[in-house]
Amino acid sequence: MPITSTPLGPTTGLEITGLHGRALVDRDVAAECAAALERYGVVVYRDADIADDDLVAFSALLGDVVPLAMGGHERREIQKITRDASQSKLAAYREATFFWHIDGTTDSVPNKSTLLTARQVSDDGSGDTEFANTYAAYEALPEREKEELADLRVVHSFAASQSLVYPDPSPKERAAWDKVPAREHPLVWTRRSGRRSLLIGATAGEIVGRPAAAGRALLDRLLDWATRPEFTVRHRWRPGDLVIWDNTGMLHRAQPYAETSRRLMHRTSLAGEEAVA
Ligand code: OGA
Ligand code: MN
C-alpha cells in the first residue's frame, strides 16, 4: 500500500496513511516522524493498528519513554486513558482534559511528546481530540504584543486546572489539589533553537505581579487567540489511529465524552529534553 502524507490545516497537523503495526518500528519512519513533529506539531498515523509492544518500541525510537504512574496497564510505559474507573485509577481526572492544556506544566521539564492510540472509540461520535499550535499563535502576534509579553511569568498549578471542572471545592479537595506543587514559568518559552511558544492553558492560573482579574483576562485572551481555527486541528478517532504531538508547543483537549463511553486510548510519553526558559 502506498504511503501518503497530507497536511491537515494551514499551520498544524500531518496525516500519514499506509503505515501499520510493525512497519512503524523503524529508524527511518521515526526520523521522518520527528521531522514532521517539528514542522507540523501533530502527526496522525491513520489506522496504524499498532500493538502495545510495538507502540513502546516506536516510542523508544523517538525519545526516552517515561514510565507513567497508575497506568492501569501491565507495561509501565503505557497508561490507559479512559473515564471507566474500573480500568483506570485516574478516570476521575479525565474531565480536566476537556479543557485546553499542555501536559506536565508543573514540571521544570515538561514531556517532549505524547503518543495516543485509540483502542476503542465512543459509539456516538464524541471524544474527538483538538490541538492548538502555540508556536504559530505566538509567531502571528503583533510585534508590539510580543514585546509586552516578553517578561511576563505565569504560575501553573494542578489546582487551577481542577477548579475549571470543580469550581466550588471543599477545603479538603482544595488541600488535595495543593499537594501538587505549583510552578512559575515564563509566559513565552524560548527554545535553544530560538523558536518561541506560549505556555498557557488550564494550569495557568495567574500572572506574577498582576491583580488576579487582570491576569485572568490576559490569559483568557491569549487562549482565545491561540485556539483560533488557523492554529488548530481536530482529530476524529477511528480505532487503530495513532496520534503524536509535540507536547511542549501544542495545547490539546478532548471533546467531552461520557463516563459510560467505551473510549479507550493507550498512551506513552517521552521525556522532555529542554527545561522551560
Ligand atoms: C492526555 C490527553 C486527550 C484525549 O492524554 O494527556 O489530554 O483526547 N488526552 O484523550
Ligand atoms: Mn493531556
Side-chain angles (χ1 to χ4, degrees):
M1 213 210 274
I3 297 167
T4 69
S5 50
T6 315
L8 291 171
T11 59
T12 309
L14 183 74
E15 177 174 293
I16 298 175
T17 67
L19 279 168
H20 312 281
R22 260 288 134 84
L24 282 152
V25 189
D26 176 280
R27 277 185 196 288
D28 292 337
V29 170
E32 276 163 31
C33 180
L37 277 175
E38 173 101 13
R39 164 116 202 254
Y40 297 98
V42 180
V43 178
V44 174
Y45 292 96
R46 267 293 181 192
D47 309 315
D49 295 320
I50 189 166
D52 287 333
D53 288 345
D54 290 336
L55 173 66
V56 175
F58 181 51
S59 303
L61 290 175
L62 289 168
D64 287 335
V65 185
V66 291
L68 293 168
M70 293 187 270
H73 193 280
E74 61 197 16
R75 292 212 58 159
R76 291 164 65 233
E77 300 92 336
I78 295 178
Q79 194 176 55
K80 290 187 180 178
I81 306 292
T82 169
R83 296 193 66 194
D84 175 357
S86 73
Q87 294 202 68
S88 167
K89 291 200 171 91
L90 299 172
Y93 293 104
R94 292 299 162 213
E95 233 179 308
T97 66
F98 300 172
F99 296 86
W100 288 111
H101 67 281
I102 289 171
D103 296 333
T105 52
T106 56
D107 303 333
S108 62
V109 186
N111 285 341
K112 178 172 87 158
S113 288
T114 305
L115 295 85
L116 216 53
T117 188
R119 291 292 180 241
Q120 280 167 39
V121 302
S122 294
D123 294 321
D124 59 1
S126 62
D128 290 359
T129 304
E130 291 179 288
F131 300 92
N133 187 327
T134 75
Y135 299 105
Y138 175 80
E139 196 48 49
L141 284 171
E143 287 307 316
R144 183 185 40 76
E145 181 144 24
K146 289 183 186 166
E147 281 161 30
E148 279 167 20
L149 303 182
D151 297 323
L152 296 182
R153 297 182 67 80
V154 179
V155 180
H156 289 264
S157 66
F158 180 64
S161 63
Q162 285 301 306
S163 64
L164 294 170
V165 185
Y166 309 103
D168 278 314
S170 67
K172 208 174 140 198
E173 280 166 335
R174 176 83 219 183
W177 300 346
D178 287 339
K179 282 202 185 117
V180 182
R183 189 176 291 270
E184 199 182 298
H185 286 305
L187 176 59
V188 179
W189 181 352
T190 305
R191 308 299 199 286
R192 288 192 290 258
S193 66
R195 266 184 117 188
R196 291 185 165 88
S197 63
L198 294 169
L199 200 43
I200 52 178
T203 54
E206 49 193 281
I207 302 232
V208 177
R210 290 225 176 153
R216 186 70 267 153
L218 175 58
L219 290 168
D220 288 346
R221 191 163 59 72
L222 288 173
L223 192 64
D224 281 349
W225 167 258
T227 56
R228 285 162 64 116
E230 59 265 43
F231 308 128
T232 60
V233 63
R234 178 170 177 151
H235 183 66
R236 163 138 305 190
W237 292 95
R238 293 203 296 248
D241 290 348
L242 170 64
V243 177
I244 306 170
W245 68 92
D246 169 354
N247 173 64
T248 74
M250 299 303 119
L251 288 157
H252 58 280
R253 70 174 176 187
Q255 281 293 326
Y257 55 100
E259 230 174 312
T260 50
S261 167
R262 287 156 29 90
R263 189 185 197 268
L264 171 66
M265 305 282 158
H266 282 187
R267 166 186 165 159
T268 59
S269 288
L270 307 180
E273 289 170 351
E274 207 171 325
V276 183

